[in-house]
Amino acid sequence: INAINPKTWHGFRVGADLNATQFSRSNSLEGLRVDLRPNVNFTEDRAAWFVDGNASVRYTNYDLRGLGQKLRKERTLPTLQLQSGMRLERVTDNGLLQTLEPRLQYLYTPFEDQSSLPLFDTGEPEFNYDQLFNANRFSGMDRVSDANDLTLAMSSRWVNPATGRVRAEASFGQL
């Protein structure tokens, strides 16, 4: 269940994500994982720039059994993510529209030892440009990556203004 308040208050919105999953396998640790992530989001998006912020707390609870044991484990981690960027455009000599899009992000999640938590469906996806701006470097809900990161990136596109077709695109970034 993902919910977000459709109304904003001075650019702020509140929301929450809830996931409950029952894992079951013979001869293995199994059980219920409940993951709750309430959040507050701020967005200001104009034609030439944007600012986006998100503060959340991820609470994950495990009720586990199997392999001769019953365990109850939990984790609570806050995350703060702040982004800003610009959208600059110019028409080139050959009539293409060129964009220049600098982007900056700060991400903070404190470290917590999660080695005692099971790994049911979590992994590390292949790293790509979009991963620079993810709040968690893991897929799934069993791990939350710690971060105290600053990301700086730049994208540029050459677009045919008549068709909207992108002729070329270049992006680079540093985490």
Side-chain angles (χ1 to χ4, degrees):
I1 298 172
N2 299 329
I4 189 162
N5 186 343
K7 297 187 182 211
T8 63
W9 181 75
H10 298 286
F12 287 90
R13 283 188 173 174
V14 295
D17 303 326
L18 172 64
N19 181 291
T21 307
Q22 177 71 41
F23 294 95
S24 178
R25 266 191 318 211
S26 58
N27 298 323
S28 179
L29 195 59
E30 56 185 22
L32 177 66
R33 178 187 68 204
V34 176
D35 186 78
L36 174 64
R37 192 184 69 86
N39 60 80
V40 176
N41 187 23
F42 173 80
T43 301
E44 184 72 33
D45 197 343
R46 302 296 172 121
W49 58 271
F50 70 92
V51 175
D52 186 58
N54 187 292
S56 65
V57 176
R58 171 161 256 151
Y59 171 76
T60 310
N61 181 290
Y62 294 87
D63 189 10
L64 306 168
R65 66 196 171 287
L67 303 175
Q69 53 186 332
K70 266 189 119 167
L71 302 167
R72 191 168 173 92
K73 303 221 176 240
E74 61 182 36
R75 168 195 64 212
T76 304
L77 280 170
T79 295
L80 176 65
Q81 184 177 23
L82 303 169
Q83 291 189 55
S84 181
M86 297 177 68
R87 298 179 200 101
L88 307 170
E89 298 178 350
R90 74 179 183 110
V91 177
T92 63
D93 292 340
N94 60 1
L96 293 177
L97 179 69
Q98 182 187 9
T99 67
L100 188 64
E101 303 167 45
R103 191 169 166 187
L104 180 68
Q105 174 181 271
Y106 175 69
L107 176 64
Y108 177 75
T109 303
F111 172 79
E112 181 174 318
D113 183 6
Q114 302 167 64
S115 60
S116 67
L117 300 178
L119 280 172
F120 286 121
D121 62 355
T122 294
E124 284 191 73
E126 185 175 312
F127 189 77
N128 60 37
Y129 180 79
D130 294 329
Q131 288 286 99
L132 288 171
F133 301 99
N134 281 354
N136 188 7
R137 75 173 177 263
F138 297 106
S139 64
M141 296 172 191
D142 296 319
R143 294 293 182 269
V144 176
S145 58
D146 60 292
N148 190 10
D149 298 335
L150 188 63
T151 302
L152 179 60
M154 183 75 68
S155 292
S156 187
R157 292 182 187 89
W158 289 265
V159 181
N160 181 329
T163 64
R165 185 172 178 219
V166 176
R167 292 283 185 91
E169 181 176 354
S171 298
F172 62 93
Q174 176 71 43
L175 175 68

